């Protein structure tokens, strides 16, 4: 057959959710993957990881048939088994677990290995119909979402395409050059056509920071203090839009009074950024009406992450930047789509009396922590889709301790033999996004995208939806969603959500759901009943730890602070060629990343007595990890940073498989499963450690 390009959408855990064009070389083979030029957010640009997707879909290491464990858990010893036998064994294990301990002993566990609404979330339909334990989805965006919601009251921000019309863009706590490449496309347009300036706020010199006009290399977990120092100057030097404040915000006078003592000098002592630099940044923001603040996820993965997000969000309300095209703030647009997920997730069968378990605390859950299990039974049976907690979850040594339990039955539905799959009793081979139907939404833009099947499934692989349907049939689970194909489920969901039907959306390729300018910029009011942005959120109503949070934006000193025993603060930011564990199998990504390493300030490396490339050990109360040192080699800056990194900050770009580390212990051995404030959330970048030469 002649080669052709087929429209679809990227399924990976990235806010860009790019509109793709995939070269179909044969019914079962692809060639090039490119971004759609006709989609004005993707704008023809995609990341290199997805551009080389043929490496992944046609990788010889893909799982091709169901497998049954024959050796010890974690040894990776399996034998082939038929699909019917594999599904029967899973269903039987679920029935036995429910008979012995009750249905809450079964825990369907999933997350964002695919962002497709049908293939990702359909596992919840089985959960709800069968009354299995619920899953609190805290591992990625809980803290950032809570922080944004606290002020704005809805998940809608300024149209991300408006970045091209901004005069100043502040990228705060994210690295779009590696994790949301389309953001850089629109920033580049603003810099070219408007001579816009780019400011990056990040603890180290990321690829985005390297191309910025100004890089603010603060200490990890101190973003709230930086935001308060900026807003002190905005009020003190009359950059605050007092008419806007009176009309659109709550308590502006009390907030200004609160900030009177949060001077740049105060913020400098906390952040490590010189007071003069904080003042200059505030003046830059205050003098430019079209200031667009693009807020990421990374800086919120801290115990005080929600408070930090809220503080940064407040800046656009103080200046009134929301009033201008190319101004305001953006974190996620997930409120714009209006997708009714009842059929996909079985929401009409949900019983809220069934317990919910925190997915970030899978280690404590599986090792029987009573604070997590409550009055319910131990978890003795799990099916996992789209997730790799043996490498990805906090306190990963404890996760592995739970996975090797003799009384735990584990089924993993995966594309590759991941760290987690090695512990499974049954491994099922999964399709890639090119081999099944789905629909997608993007947090970083406003497009609802069709992702119709492009090629035939590889070997014996089956989609998530088909596996969940097959298990439902064996377990006696009844729901209309189980009687539909993925395409039928997409079609019915789109219709009941007021969107075009599946065939129409496929022909359209995507639908733009962005509200009008007035709504996106909250000029008719923010999401709260009184329409006012909240400087003073009701944190106590947002979660069980909310009462412990500061009333107004502040530095919330709840982090795992450095001390004499643990003098360094660790950030586990995404590696450019990995992003998450989804790309660690592809040979080009492996070759480009080389090996796990820890990036140190040269002064710290000198004091510790090691050089670039030396083996180092880093650790804390949870364990230790062996890797190689990288020593930053940039020039010194005014605040004592080198290569954009302060002393006392260590960066381990991730997420590498555990097997990539010499001792088989990955970086999440060191990250805590303690929940963030106010309502949980994983704290991957909030870790105090010690460091020493490996010898």
């Amino acid at each position: 057959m002649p080669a052709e390009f087929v429209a679809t959408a990227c399924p990976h855990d990235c806010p860009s959710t790019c509109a793709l064009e995939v070269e179909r070389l044969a019914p079962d083979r692809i060639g090039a993957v490119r971004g759609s030029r006709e989609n004005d957010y993707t704008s023809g640009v995609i990341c290199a990881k997805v551009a080389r997707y043929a490496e992944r879909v046609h990788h010889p290491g893909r799982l091709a048939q169901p497998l049954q464990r024959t050796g010890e858990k974690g040894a990776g010893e399996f034998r082939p088994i038929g699909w019917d036998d594999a599904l029967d064994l899973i269903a039987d294990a679920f029935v036995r677990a429910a008979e012995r301990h009750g249905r809450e002993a079964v825990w369907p566990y999933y997350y964002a290995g695919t962002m497709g609404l049908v293939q990702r979330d359909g596992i919840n339909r089985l959960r709800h119909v069968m009354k299995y334990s619920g899953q609190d989805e805290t591992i990625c965006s809980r803290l950032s979402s809570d922080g944004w919601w606290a002020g704005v009251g809805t998940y809608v921000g300024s149209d991300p395409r408006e970045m091209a019309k901004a005069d100043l863009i502040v990228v705060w706590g994210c690295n779009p050059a590696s994790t949301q490449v389309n953001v850089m496309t629109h920033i580049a347009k603003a810099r070219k056509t408007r001579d816009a300036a780019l400011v990056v706020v990040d603890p180290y010199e990321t690829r985005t920071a390297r191309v910025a006009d100004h890089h603010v290399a603060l200490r990890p977990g101190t973003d709230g203090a930086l935001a308060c120092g900026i807003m002190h100057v905005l009020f003190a030097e009359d950059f605050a839009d007092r008419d806007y404040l009176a009309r659109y915000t709550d308590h502006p006078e009390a907030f200004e009074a609160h900030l009177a003592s949060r001077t740049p000098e105060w913020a400098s002592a906390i952040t490590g950024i010189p007071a003069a630099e904080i003042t200059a940044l505030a003046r830059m923001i205050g003098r430019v009406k079209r200031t667009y603040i693009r807020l990421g996820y990374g800086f919120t993965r801290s115990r005080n992450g929600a408070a930090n997000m809220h503080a940064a969000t407040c800046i656009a309300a103080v200046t009134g930047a929301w009033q201008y095209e190319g101004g305001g703030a953006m974190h996620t647009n997930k409120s714009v789509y209006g997708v009714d997920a009842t059929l996909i997730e079985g929401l009409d069968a949900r019983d809220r009396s069934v317990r919910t378990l925190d997915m970030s605390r899978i280690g404590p859950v599986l090792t029987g922590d009573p604070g997590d299990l409550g009055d319910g039974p131990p978890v003795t049976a799990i099916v996992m889709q789209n997730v790799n907690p043996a490498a990805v979850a906090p306190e990963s040594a404890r996760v592995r301790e739970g996975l090797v339990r003799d009384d735990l039955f584990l089924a993993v539905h995966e594309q590759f033999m991941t760290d987690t799959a090695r512990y499974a009793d049954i491994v099922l081979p999964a399709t890639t996004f090119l081999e099944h139907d789905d629909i997608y939404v993007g947090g970083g833009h406003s497009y609802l995208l069709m992702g119709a099947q492009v090629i035939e499934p590889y070997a014996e692989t089956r989609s998530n939806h088909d596996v969940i349907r097959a298990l439902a049939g064996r377990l006696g689970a009844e729901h209309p969603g189980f009687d539909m194909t993925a395409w039928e489920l997409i079609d019915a969901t789109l219709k009941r959500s007021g969107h075009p039907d599946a065939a129409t959306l496929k022909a359209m390729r995507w639908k733009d759901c962005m509200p009008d300018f007035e709504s996106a910029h909250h000029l008719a009011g923010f999401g709260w009943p009184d329409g006012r942005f909240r400087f003073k959120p009701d944190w106590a109503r947002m979660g069980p730890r909310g009462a412990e949070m500061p009333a107004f934006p502040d530095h919330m000193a709840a982090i795992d602070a450095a001390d004499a025993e643990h003098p360094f603060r660790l950030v586990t930011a995404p590696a450019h060629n990995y992003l998450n564990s989804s790309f660690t199998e592809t040979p080009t990504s492996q070759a480009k990343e080389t090996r796990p390493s820890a990036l140190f300030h040269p002064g710290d490396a000198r004091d510790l007595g090691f050089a670039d490339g030396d083996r180092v050990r880093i650790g804390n109360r949870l364990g230790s990890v062996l890797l190689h040192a990288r020593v930053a080699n940039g020039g010194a800056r005014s605040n004592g940073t080198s290569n954009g990194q302060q002393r006392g900050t260590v960066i381990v770009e991730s997420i590498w498989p555990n097997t990539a580390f010499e001792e088989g212990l990955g970086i999440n051995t060191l990250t805590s499963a303690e929940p963030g404030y106010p309502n949980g959330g994983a704290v991957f970048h909030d870790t105090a450690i010690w460091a020493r030469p490996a010898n």
Side-chain angles (χ1 to χ4, degrees):
M1 60 179 290
E4 59 178 329
F5 278 88
V6 182
T8 186
C10 179
H12 286 285
D13 190 6
C14 163
S16 287
T17 316
C18 293
L20 301 180
E21 295 171 353
V22 178
E23 185 182 24
R24 182 164 56 199
L25 301 175
D28 61 349
R29 192 156 196 90
I30 67 163
V33 180
R34 66 192 187 194
S36 172
R37 293 184 180 278
E38 295 179 40
N39 182 287
D40 62 359
Y41 184 76
T42 300
S43 292
V45 177
I46 60 171
C47 70
K49 297 180 286 292
V50 174
R52 54 178 180 259
Y53 208 83
E55 281 191 12
R56 181 173 175 83
V57 71
H58 301 308
H59 194 294
R62 275 191 69 183
L63 294 170
Q65 59 189 329
L67 303 171
Q68 183 178 24
R69 179 172 61 86
T70 58
E72 296 294 321
K73 290 189 175 185
E77 297 172 1
F78 297 90
R79 69 174 182 88
I81 187 175
W83 265 104
D84 286 339
D85 289 341
L87 292 167
D88 287 344
L89 287 169
I90 297 170
D92 288 346
F94 283 15
V95 170
R96 289 197 306 272
E99 288 175 345
R100 182 174 182 183
H101 297 290
R103 292 191 177 192
E104 289 181 342
V106 182
W107 193 19
Y109 191 93
Y110 78 109
Y111 203 56
T114 176
M115 298 298 280
L117 302 186
V118 171
Q119 306 292 348
R120 180 189 65 193
D121 300 334
I123 194 171
N124 286 325
R125 189 181 337 114
L126 183 68
R127 179 198 317 280
H128 294 147
V129 172
M130 295 301 297
K131 315 301 180 190
Y132 295 150
S133 282
Q135 177 178 292
D136 194 8
E137 297 175 13
T138 59
I139 204 163
C140 177
S141 60
R142 171 62 58 77
L143 287 157
S144 62
S145 294
D146 283 353
W148 174 272
W149 182 272
V152 178
T154 183
Y155 299 115
V156 181
S158 301
D159 190 326
R161 293 164 292 196
E162 288 182 28
M163 278 185 284
K165 300 178 180 179
D167 294 319
L168 171 63
I169 300 161
V170 181
V171 172
W172 197 311
C174 59
N175 178 20
S178 294
T179 63
Q180 301 173 48
V181 66
N182 308 98
V183 171
M184 301 305 293
T185 300
H186 300 287
I187 290 172
K189 292 177 183 177
R191 299 178 89 176
K192 181 177 181 180
T193 62
R194 304 183 64 83
D195 198 26
L198 171 62
V199 173
V200 171
V201 179
D202 201 286
Y204 81 113
E205 191 173 68
T206 63
R207 288 176 180 246
T208 309
R210 288 175 201 162
V211 300
D213 298 288
H214 303 278
H215 174 208
V216 184
L218 75 175
R219 294 171 181 147
T222 65
D223 303 79
L226 176 62
C228 287
I230 290 169
M231 290 186 287
H232 171 96
V233 176
L234 294 175
F235 275 109
E237 299 192 4
D238 204 28
F239 292 118
D241 187 330
R242 297 187 184 278
D243 290 339
Y244 181 88
L245 287 164
R247 182 176 177 186
Y248 286 102
T249 71
D250 72 337
H251 311 296
E253 296 86 0
F255 183 39
E256 182 177 4
H258 164 76
L259 290 172
S261 61
R262 274 60 177 177
T263 64
E265 290 74 18
W266 167 87
S268 177
I270 297 169
T271 64
I273 304 300
E277 189 173 339
I278 296 172
T279 299
L281 175 58
R283 289 170 178 165
M284 188 185 309
I285 291 170
R287 289 170 178 153
V288 175
K289 299 297 185 184
R290 296 178 183 234
T291 295
Y292 194 107
I293 304 177
R294 185 64 173 85
L295 297 153
Y297 295 85
F299 79 110
T300 71
R301 290 176 179 145
S302 177
R303 290 163 178 81
N304 62 359
N308 290 341
M309 170 64 84
H310 175 246
T313 306
C314 289
I315 296 171
V318 172
T319 63
W322 286 105
Q323 301 167 93
Y324 308 103
E325 187 178 31
M330 166 68 184
H331 172 58
T332 177
N333 266 336
K334 63 183 179 181
S335 287
V336 307
Y337 297 103
V339 175
D340 183 341
T342 301
L343 279 172
I344 294 174
E345 297 194 48
L347 298 178
D348 49 350
R350 185 177 183 184
D351 181 349
R352 294 188 178 274
S353 69
V354 174
R355 74 171 176 190
T356 298
L357 301 173
D358 185 340
M359 69 175 303
S360 299
R361 291 185 57 78
I362 183 174
V365 167
L366 294 185
T367 53
D369 191 311
D372 293 280
L373 297 177
D375 297 329
V379 171
T380 60
I382 302 179
V383 59
M384 290 185 180
Q385 291 182 319
N386 321 317
V387 69
N388 183 17
V392 170
E395 297 184 15
S396 57
R398 197 169 179 185
V399 175
R400 294 191 292 277
E401 181 185 344
L403 292 176
V404 299
R405 281 172 35 208
D406 289 335
D407 66 331
L408 176 69
F409 177 87
L410 174 63
V412 172
H413 188 200
E414 256 296 354
Q415 297 167 4
F416 289 85
M417 185 60 72
T418 63
D419 286 318
T420 304
R422 293 174 65 87
Y423 292 90
D425 297 282
I426 296 293
V427 178
L428 304 176
T431 50
T432 68
F433 79 104
L434 298 168
E435 298 158 341
H436 57 236
D437 294 320
D438 216 331
I439 51 173
Y440 302 87
V441 299
H445 55 68
S446 55
Y447 283 106
L448 170 67
L449 301 107
M450 173 58 74
Q453 182 176 333
V454 176
I455 57 174
E456 293 300 315
Y458 168 67
E460 295 182 37
T461 60
R462 295 187 186 180
S463 72
N464 290 357
H465 176 67
D466 288 341
V467 166
I468 294 302
R469 289 179 70 194
L471 288 175
R474 286 165 169 79
L475 293 164
E478 297 183 355
H479 188 274
F482 294 130
D483 299 325
M484 298 178 178
T485 65
W487 186 262
E488 291 168 340
L489 195 53
I490 291 167
D491 188 60
T493 295
L494 289 171
K495 289 175 180 175
R496 69 187 294 156
S497 304
H499 292 301
D501 63 25
T504 303
L505 185 62
K506 182 179 180 181
M508 294 169 60
R509 294 175 288 175
W510 53 73
K511 175 189 174 184
D512 191 352
C513 300
M514 195 71 207
D516 59 27
F517 177 87
E518 183 178 67
S519 300
H521 286 253
H522 308 290
L523 299 183
F526 288 87
W528 300 106
D530 61 3
R532 293 178 177 271
F533 181 92
R534 292 188 173 181
F535 291 131
K536 189 177 182 180
D538 191 352
W539 292 113
R541 295 190 64 181
M542 294 182 64
R545 307 182 78 186
E548 303 171 56
M549 298 181 68
F552 284 113
D554 213 332
H555 172 60
M556 184 181 175
I559 60 176
D560 187 16
D563 56 26
E565 187 179 354
H566 306 90
F568 300 97
R569 294 267 293 151
L570 173 67
V571 172
T572 57
H576 181 73
N577 289 285
Y578 285 164
L579 177 61
N580 49 48
S581 69
S582 297
F583 291 98
T584 56
E585 297 89 0
T586 53
T588 301
S589 289
Q590 292 172 345
K592 288 179 177 294
E593 291 298 332
T594 309
R595 64 189 180 192
S597 61
L599 179 65
F600 286 85
H601 185 285
D604 291 331
R606 182 177 60 251
D607 291 349
L608 291 167
F610 57 74
D612 195 88
D614 286 353
R615 292 162 71 247
V616 296
R617 185 176 294 279
I618 61 175
N620 58 12
R621 297 174 185 88
L622 295 171
S624 69
V625 173
L626 188 64
L627 31 62
H628 288 78
R630 283 196 300 131
V631 180
N633 58 9
R637 300 190 178 194
S638 60
N639 63 343
T641 67
S642 182
N643 206 21
Q645 180 176 335
Q646 292 197 37
R647 295 197 66 163
T649 298
V650 177
I651 311 296
V652 176
E653 292 185 329
S654 55
I655 176 118
W656 286 84
N658 297 322
T659 51
F661 292 80
E662 289 186 34
E663 299 173 327
L665 298 174
I667 195 59
N668 281 318
T669 301
L670 309 183
T671 58
S672 173
E674 181 181 343
Y677 297 77
N679 194 33
V683 296
F684 292 113
H685 306 331
D686 186 3
T687 306
I689 60 168
W690 49 259
R692 59 175 179 253
N695 296 330

